[in-house]
Amino acid sequence: MPAPTDTHSDATAARFPAKARRLVCRIGASGLFLRAAAPWLPVCDLAAHRLTGGRWLPSQLVLPTVLLTTTGRHSGRPRAVPVCAHPLPGGGWLVAATNFGRPHHPAWSTNLLHHAHAHLTWNDRRHPVTARLLDPEEQQTVWPTLLALLPVYGDYAARAAHREIRVFRLDPGRRDGHVPEE
C-alpha cells in the first residue's frame, strides 16, 4: 500500500473541510440519525460500491471512508464494511470502532480481534493490512487525532460509555500473503 504521507493527510483535510465535518458531526450526533440513518448508511455504501465495480462509496463525499474486509469470527467468510479511517504519516490507518455510539461493539472489530489480517480498499485499490488493537495508553495518544478528524466520535464515546471504544491501527502488508476475498 502506498504509504500515506503528511501531504496525504493535508489533502484529506482539504478534501473534507472543517465546515463539512462540522455539519456531518451535527447530523451524526442527532438521535434521529442514530435511529434512522446509521443502520442504513453501511448498506447504501456497500450497494453503491458493488454497483460501481468497487470505484465509489457515497460516504467518501463527506468523510475519509475505506472498505475494510475482515474474516468472520464464526463463519470464516469475508465480511466487508465501510469505515471512517485516518491515514497515518509513513503508512497505516487508524480506525475507531464507535458503532455510532450503539451499546455493542461493531462485528468488524470483533472479527479483527480474532483474525488480524484483512484488506482495505482505498482509491480503487485493495491493500492487505494487519490490525493491531491499541492499548489504552496508545488510544489516549491518538484519540485527539481521531476527534480532529471526526469530532462526533466524542458523542459516540459518551453514548457508549459502558464499553471501551476499540481503536485499531491497520498496518500495510501481511506475512503469509492471504487476503480474504469479497
Side-chain angles (χ1 to χ4, degrees), residues 51-75:
L51 288 171
T52 63
R55 291 184 301 275
W56 186 60
L57 291 167
S59 292
Q60 289 177 331
L61 294 173
V62 291
L63 298 170
T65 306
V66 300
L67 189 70
L68 179 64
T69 303
T70 63
T71 300
R73 178 178 88 167
H74 295 296
S75 70

Side-chain angles (χ1 to χ4, degrees), residues 147-165:
L147 286 176
L149 172 69
L150 200 57
V152 75
Y153 281 171
D155 295 312
Y156 295 162
R159 282 194 180 104
H162 64 284
R163 70 174 172 92
E164 188 73 29
I165 299 289

Side-chain angles (χ1 to χ4, degrees), residues 124-146:
D124 301 334
R125 290 193 147 135
R126 292 171 45 157
H127 307 281
V129 294
T130 301
R132 182 175 64 82
L133 179 65
L134 299 185
D135 65 40
E137 282 183 17
E138 291 173 306
Q139 287 188 26
Q140 281 187 329
T141 302
V142 301
W143 192 248
T145 301
L146 293 171

Side-chain angles (χ1 to χ4, degrees), residues 1-6 8 88-92 122 172:
M1 167 173 15
T5 62
D6 289 322
H8 175 73
L88 296 170
W122 171 67

Side-chain angles (χ1 to χ4, degrees), residues 10-28:
D10 292 343
T12 299
R15 184 171 171 199
F16 308 105
K19 200 178 247 187
R21 285 195 313 263
R22 280 193 301 272
L23 178 63
V24 167
C25 291
R26 186 178 309 150
I27 293 168

